[in-house]
Amino acid sequence: GAGVSQSPSNKVTEKGKDVELRCDPISGHTALYWYRQSLGQGLEFLIYFQGNSAPDKSGLPSDRFSAERTGGSVSTLTIQRTQQEDSAVYLCASSLKLLASTDTQYFGPGTRLTVL
Amino acid sequence: GQQVMQIPQYQHVQEGEDFTTYCNSSTTLSNIQWYKQRPGGHPVFLIQLVKSGEVKKQKRLTFQFGEAKKNSSLHITATQTTDVGTYFCAGGPNYGGATNKLIFGTGTLLAVQP
């Protein structure tokens, strides 16, 4: 079956521009996560959506970052006024169950963002 | 805040040698998961451990969850070039069953020389 998809796969933008990154989770998965991974580094948690609950935004690095999840499915991560330090791979993951820190997370291929 | 550290950060082995990565949490975990990320790829789930002292095996890979549920290890016997990648542990915080996100470890990059 279809896995988690993300678009675009690559995005090059100029400093100061806004960007939108899209994530399509696996159908039926109620939890969705966004992570950031800089070159050679670990996974930095950004935001977590679970069902209809308020999202956990505790990992967003600044107010330039925001995310929404429409209809409990597709999610968009928006970065306003991009900075060079925002350059990284942005990974989306989804998991199945409504209540779970124990569930397997299925990752998308990521969006590589380069800010010039 | 809660932290999950892994050691070593990097390991270079000759093909056929064994490899171990260790994962340590600053707080008790409800469970531990392990993921593998190939170079240029995305993390892929390997296994989950839930019980104190649990040991699970997948072919040449052996996973352990510590008795105190604060540490874990992944051991690979007789490494192969296909084992190359970064291995991440990820812990579920122990908040009495409340829903929460995984805390990913810092990762161990394994290089295997043929």
Side-chain angles (χ1 to χ4, degrees):
Chain A
V4 177
S5 61
Q6 292 185 245
S7 60
S9 55
N10 280 285
K11 177 71 177 179
V12 179
T13 190
E14 293 180 348
K15 178 181 174 181
K17 300 283 189 182
D18 298 353
V19 295
E20 284 190 352
L21 311 180
R22 177 187 168 105
C23 172
D24 281 88
I26 293 173
S27 178
H29 279 196
T30 57
L32 186 147
Y33 310 78
W34 282 99
Y35 297 90
R36 179 168 69 175
Q37 187 173 35
S38 300
L39 185 63
Q41 301 299 309
L43 295 169
E44 177 187 3
F45 166 78
L46 297 178
I47 189 169
Y48 160 46
F49 297 90
Q50 180 178 281
N52 296 321
S53 302
D56 177 349
K57 303 179 181 180
S58 61
L60 294 178
S62 77
D63 58 8
R64 296 186 296 104
F65 288 72
S66 63
E68 62 178 21
R69 189 179 185 193
T70 54
S73 181
V74 172
S75 177
T76 302
L77 176 69
T78 301
I79 309 173
Q80 296 178 311
R81 305 180 303 281
T82 51
Q83 304 294 313
Q84 289 181 331
E85 60 262 29
D86 299 334
S87 296
V89 175
Y90 289 81
L91 290 162
C92 173
S94 70
S95 66
L96 177 60
K97 293 181 182 176
L98 184 61
L99 294 176
S101 65
T102 59
D103 274 342
T104 300
Q105 293 189 16
Y106 296 86
F107 283 82
T111 293
R112 181 175 299 278
L113 175 65
T114 303
V115 182
L116 302 176
Chain B
Q2 179 178 15
Q3 291 186 325
V4 178
M5 304 297 292
Q6 282 182 252
I7 53 171
Q9 284 188 310
Y10 173 76
Q11 183 84 54
H12 182 195
V13 300
Q14 294 284 333
E15 189 172 23
E17 292 181 338
D18 292 355
F19 160 77
T20 304
T21 173
Y22 299 91
C23 175
N24 295 287
S25 170
S26 57
T27 59
T28 302
L29 302 170
S30 61
N31 70 95
I32 194 88
Q33 298 182 21
W34 284 90
Y35 291 77
K36 177 184 177 181
Q37 184 175 25
R38 294 182 184 274
H42 56 274
V44 175
F45 174 80
L46 294 177
I47 207 161
Q48 176 182 283
L49 305 169
V50 179
K51 300 176 183 177
S52 170
E54 188 171 10
V55 178
K56 287 188 176 181
K57 292 190 176 184
Q58 287 181 349
K59 297 183 180 179
R60 295 178 294 104
L61 278 59
T62 302
F63 303 84
Q64 287 189 307
F65 199 11
E67 292 290 340
K69 301 183 78 171
K70 293 180 70 174
N71 55 69
S72 181
S73 65
L74 158 59
H75 179 81
I76 303 178
T77 303
T79 54
Q80 300 176 357
T81 54
T82 53
D83 296 326
V84 165
T86 301
Y87 292 85
F88 291 99
C89 63
N94 189 10
Y95 291 163
T99 302
N100 215 309
K101 60 187 181 288
L102 286 173
I103 308 298
F104 276 82
T106 47
T108 296
L109 173 61
L110 172 64
V112 180
Q113 183 167 351

